[in-house]
């Protein structure tokens, strides 16, 4: 027994002696808060390292210039000046290396912060999608008449009923929304045609007025009538969204509603921009 224990001790000492300082440092991380770096388990967003501390470094300056510029009187002074030059060069080189290392450390920290945010977002997204129908999650033996089992089954059944009800409500809302959107698109088509007719008539009146204006200028008199004013265009009616036909206004439809409103605003802006360009063009012709 003593021989076997001695052999284990010798083998352990040989193994520890074969470790490099870096390997020993990595092995010691297993007992610290940074153990997730050396373990096989996946890294979570809750795993964080200590904040990186950088050192303030003075800017490069010329030192001992008087000593280096002085003319050495002895061989010893010449050697001391040479050694001082070498020492100053080494210090400057070390500063450059340390500055580069600190810059790399800051960039790595920024990169890790970004990756940490993406990892956290992925975990939240997976947690939302994760749905389980298991009631006995701790894998312990249970009696089906226990209160917590009955409560879990009731909650699961209520959740299933709510999902079916929500699906039916969403389907009905979608059908109503489709019918209303068909009517709205017909109204919008008619409105745009009426606006186009009004604008075409106004363009023709402006063209006739331009001819009259040019003729009056040639005859050195005033035009017989003033420039026709642009008629008021019909504004677009409110575009319905799916949330108008639902009771609870689910959060999932918020993005679609925003997209629809943005599209409506863009259409109105394009229409107004085209009308304004035509007005500006006529104004330039007047000048």
């Amino acid at each position: 027994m003593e021989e076997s224990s001695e052999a284990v001790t010798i083998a352990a000492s040989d193994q520890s002696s074969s470790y490099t300082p870096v390997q020993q440092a990595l092995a010691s991380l297993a007992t610290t808060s940074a153990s997730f770096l050396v373990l096989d388990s996946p890294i979570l967003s809750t795993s964080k390292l200590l904040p990186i501390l950088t050192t303030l470094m003075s800017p490069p300056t010329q030192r001992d210039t008087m000593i280096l510029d002085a003319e050495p009187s002895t061989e010893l002074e010449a050697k001391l000046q040479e050694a001082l030059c070498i020492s100053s060069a080494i210090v400057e080189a070390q500063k450059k290396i340390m500055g580069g290392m600190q810059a790399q450390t800051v960039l790595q920290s920024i990169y890790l912060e970004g990756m940490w945010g993406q990892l956290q977002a992925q975990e939240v997204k997976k947690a939302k999608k994760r749905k389980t129908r298991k009631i006995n999650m701790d894998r312990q033996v249970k009696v089906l008449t226990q209160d917590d089992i009955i409560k879990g089954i009731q909650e699961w059944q209520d959740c299933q009923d709510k999902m079916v009800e929500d699906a039916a409500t969403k389907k009905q809302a979608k059908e109503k929304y489709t019918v209303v959107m068909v009517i709205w698109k017909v109204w919008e088509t008619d409105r745009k045609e009426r606006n186009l007719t009004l604008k075409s008539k106004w363009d023709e009146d402006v063209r006739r007025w331009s001819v009259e204006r040019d003729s009056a200028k040639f005859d050195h008199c005033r035009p017989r009538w003033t420039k026709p004013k642009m008629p008021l265009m019909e504004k677009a009616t409110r575009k319905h969204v799916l949330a108008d036909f639902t009771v609870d206004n689910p959060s999932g439809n918020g993005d679609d509603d925003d997209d629809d409103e943005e599209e409506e605003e863009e259409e109105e802006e394009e229409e107004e921009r085209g009308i304004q360009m035509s007005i500006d063009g006529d104004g330039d012709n007047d000048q």
Side-chain angles (χ1 to χ4, degrees):
M1 293 294 292
E2 293 180 357
E3 293 179 356
S4 60
S5 61
E6 290 178 358
V8 171
T9 304
I10 293 172
S13 62
D14 294 340
Q15 187 177 5
S16 61
S17 62
S18 62
Y19 278 1
T20 62
V22 176
Q23 291 176 340
Q24 292 179 0
L26 292 176
S28 63
L29 289 177
T31 58
T32 63
S33 59
S35 58
F36 60 89
L37 295 176
V38 294
L39 298 179
D40 296 334
S41 57
I43 299 177
L44 303 177
S45 61
T46 54
S47 304
K48 276 192 171 184
L49 293 173
L50 295 176
I52 298 175
L53 301 178
T54 57
T55 304
L56 181 62
M57 299 175 59
S58 60
T61 56
Q62 294 290 337
R63 297 183 178 180
D64 303 325
T65 55
M66 295 180 62
I67 299 176
L68 295 175
D69 294 339
E71 187 69 23
S73 58
T74 61
E75 184 180 356
L76 178 60
E77 289 181 356
K79 291 183 179 180
L80 291 175
Q81 282 186 347
E82 184 180 357
L84 183 58
C85 288
I86 296 173
S87 178
S88 299
I90 292 174
V91 170
E92 293 301 325
Q94 289 177 347
K95 278 191 174 183
K96 290 182 180 180
I97 294 173
M98 291 177 63
M101 293 174 64
Q102 289 198 27
Q104 291 179 356
T105 303
V106 172
L107 293 178
Q108 291 290 338
S109 177
I110 296 173
Y111 172 76
L112 290 177
E113 286 293 332
M115 296 302 296
W116 173 80
Q118 295 181 11
L119 180 61
Q120 187 180 27
Q122 290 180 0
E123 290 178 356
V124 173
K125 187 175 181 180
K126 289 182 179 179
K128 288 182 179 179
K129 290 185 177 180
R130 187 182 296 116
K131 295 181 180 179
T132 179
R133 298 182 178 180
K134 297 180 181 179
I135 299 174
N136 187 13
M137 296 300 295
D138 54 2
R139 299 181 181 180
Q140 299 295 327
V141 179
K142 290 183 175 61
V143 181
L144 295 180
T145 56
Q146 289 181 352
D147 294 339
D148 54 350
I149 294 296
I150 296 176
K151 182 179 178 181
I153 295 175
Q154 186 63 39
E155 290 178 353
W156 176 83
Q157 187 63 44
D158 294 342
C159 181
Q160 294 298 313
D161 295 340
K162 188 175 184 304
M163 290 174 59
V164 174
E165 184 180 355
D166 292 343
T169 303
K170 187 175 181 180
K171 184 178 179 180
Q172 294 177 359
K174 185 66 175 178
E175 292 175 354
K176 294 179 181 178
Y177 171 76
T178 304
V179 174
V180 171
M181 286 304 300
V182 170
I183 299 174
W184 180 84
K185 289 180 180 179
V186 174
W187 287 353
E188 278 297 295
T189 303
D190 295 340
R191 180 187 67 86
K192 291 179 179 180
E193 289 180 356
R194 289 193 296 270
N195 286 343
L196 183 61
T197 303
L198 287 174
K199 189 175 182 301
S200 300
K201 185 176 181 302
W202 176 72
D203 290 338
E204 180 63 23
D205 294 340
V206 170
R207 188 189 64 78
R208 292 171 55 194
W209 175 83
S210 299
V211 173
E212 174 64 20
R213 179 200 57 191
D214 296 339
S215 176
K217 284 183 179 180
F218 181 78
D219 296 336
H220 301 285
C221 61
R222 293 180 177 275
R224 288 179 295 175
W225 65 87
T226 59
K227 181 179 179 179
K229 294 184 178 180
M230 182 177 180
L232 294 176
M233 299 294 174
E234 295 184 26
K235 294 184 178 180
T237 57
R238 178 181 176 274
K239 186 176 182 180
H240 292 278
V241 294
L242 186 59
D244 296 338
F245 305 94
T246 57
V247 179
D248 298 333
N249 189 10
S251 59
N253 296 330
D255 298 338
D256 299 336
D257 300 344
D258 296 339
D259 295 339
D260 295 339
E261 292 177 359
E262 290 179 358
E263 291 177 359
E264 180 181 353
E265 292 177 357
E266 290 178 358
E267 290 178 359
E268 293 179 356
E269 289 178 359
E270 289 179 358
E271 185 176 352
E272 294 177 357
R273 192 181 300 113
I275 295 173
Q276 186 64 33
M277 289 175 64
S278 64
I279 297 174
D280 296 340
D282 295 334
D284 296 339
N285 294 330
D286 297 344
Q287 294 176 1

